[in-house]
Amino acid sequence: MAFIKKKMAAEAIAEVPRAERDYAGLVTQLQDADPQVRRWAARDLLDYPEASADLLARLQCETEISVREIILTSLTRIGGPVAVAGLVDWLRSEDAQMRNEAIEAMKALPDEVAPIMGSLLTDDDSDVRIMAVNILESLQHPKVEEWLIDVIDRDPVVNVCGTAVDLLGEVGSVAAVDALQRLKQRYAGEPYIQFAADLALKRIVKA
């Protein structure tokens, strides 16, 4: 019975009309009323680096979660400046889902995101700076600790510093000790900063 169900599902997928592997045809199907058609188109557009702008445009209005997931997967695999710029724009969105999707997608693009991380961590919007720290969590870049130290030394918003300290507690080394001590002095009246900095220092010492 399970085999029959799998066979029927495979046949149903096979019957979904797919455009020829032609860029213009796939972009047209990306707007199709059938979400399964849109999923195929988003997946097949992976072969066209120039499709980033079309995928980004579709993501702005796509409501089907499974289609959004495929679009984001294609965008992260294509990478490049167009995809990254679109994701940065979404960090400023009022839509929490879009912000979270942008963070997760940018975590998968370390080589493309690293060159702009400095500007994200000094953005005028403190929420963007917090999200940039969250991206650092999975960025796997040799400058992560250096960026975090710079944040706790320079950022004027306690919530941004608190987010950075939390991550330093996981990735920090002895190089972060002095900065953590300076942060404790700067925010002597902030209980959470004291707690998080002390926890980070204990973890660093034990390591």
Side-chain angles (χ1 to χ4, degrees):
M1 182 64 72
F3 173 76
I4 293 173
K5 287 182 178 179
K6 288 181 180 179
K7 183 178 179 182
M8 290 173 64
E11 289 174 349
I13 292 174
E15 290 172 1
V16 174
R18 295 179 67 190
E20 296 296 326
R21 295 186 69 82
D22 167 82
Y23 178 59
L26 291 171
V27 170
T28 297
Q29 285 210 337
L30 198 59
Q31 314 303 322
D32 196 275
D34 186 340
Q36 200 161 15
V37 174
R38 299 199 302 276
R39 281 196 294 273
W40 277 116
R43 193 192 75 168
D44 290 349
L45 280 169
L46 173 62
D47 293 332
Y48 297 88
E50 66 271 31
S52 290
D54 299 291
L55 291 166
L56 287 164
R58 180 63 213 179
L59 197 57
Q60 290 280 7
C61 59
E62 182 58 61
T63 57
E64 183 72 28
I65 293 176
S66 63
V67 181
R68 294 180 69 86
E69 290 174 349
I70 297 298
I71 291 175
L72 285 162
T73 297
S74 291
L75 280 171
T76 55
R77 292 181 65 184
I78 291 172
V82 174
V84 172
L87 294 171
V88 170
D89 286 342
W90 290 338
L91 290 179
R92 307 180 193 283
S93 172
E94 296 296 324
D95 187 322
Q97 178 182 341
M98 291 185 70
R99 294 196 303 272
N100 291 334
E101 288 174 342
I103 290 170
E104 293 306 311
M106 291 175 77
K107 286 179 178 180
L109 293 168
D111 292 338
E112 287 90 346
V113 171
I116 65 168
M117 185 51 66
S119 63
L120 290 177
L121 290 170
T122 56
D123 193 272
D124 290 340
D125 187 335
S126 62
D127 288 337
V128 171
R129 301 199 300 276
I130 289 173
M131 286 183 278
V133 172
N134 289 331
I135 292 168
L136 286 180
E137 182 180 0
S138 300
L139 204 58
Q140 300 293 315
H141 191 278
K143 290 185 67 176
V144 167
E145 184 179 22
E146 179 183 332
W147 282 322
L148 291 171
I149 289 172
D150 192 60
V151 168
I152 66 171
D153 264 340
R154 299 177 183 275
D155 200 290
V157 177
V158 65
N159 288 342
V160 180
C161 292
T163 305
V165 169
D166 287 340
L167 184 52
L168 266 176
E170 299 175 19
V171 304
S173 70
V174 292
V177 169
D178 288 345
L180 288 167
Q181 296 288 7
R182 289 193 295 270
L183 183 70
K184 282 172 57 65
Q185 292 175 6
R186 182 152 60 101
Y187 288 110
E190 291 287 345
Y192 182 75
I193 292 293
Q194 297 300 311
F195 167 78
D198 284 340
L199 184 60
L201 288 165
K202 287 178 183 178
R203 287 175 175 171
I204 289 170
V205 170
K206 286 182 180 180

